[in-house]
Amino acid sequence: MDNGMNVILFEKMPEGDLQIIEERVWSMNMITALEHVNYIVVGGREFEAVEGRLNVDEGKLELLLVPMRTEG
């Protein structure tokens, strides 16, 4: 049975700091979909996925996201 993988989403702030948006288990289908997408919507906000890192020590996939500008 597929238990998925723990994924941590980090937002790169304008000052350069990283802030955790969320951490949750993703199915392997969602992780596989990352091969085909550049943008991720979380909490109603759209982000560009700019980098990914597999943290083998912790068994987690870490994604670095940059918020998309919204015209308002």
Side-chain angles (χ1 to χ4, degrees):
M1 182 169 184
D2 174 16
N3 292 331
M5 178 178 272
N6 210 21
V7 176
I8 304 173
L9 302 178
F10 289 95
E11 178 179 355
K12 186 170 184 179
M13 306 305 287
E15 308 80 34
D17 297 334
L18 300 180
Q19 178 177 330
I20 294 178
I21 299 172
E22 73 169 28
E23 180 175 351
R24 72 167 116 162
V25 175
W26 283 21
S27 71
M28 291 313 293
N29 286 339
M30 288 179 67
I31 292 171
T32 300
L34 288 172
E35 296 178 29
H36 307 286
V37 300
N38 296 316
Y39 300 93
I40 296 174
V41 177
V42 181
R45 295 176 63 206
E46 185 175 23
F47 297 89
E48 181 177 9
V50 294
E51 243 178 86
R53 178 173 83 165
L54 180 60
N55 186 329
V56 176
D57 291 337
E58 295 185 18
K60 297 178 181 182
L61 178 62
E62 302 169 347
L63 298 176
L64 180 61
L65 307 177
V66 175
M68 297 303 300
R69 293 182 191 206
T70 57
E71 300 301 321

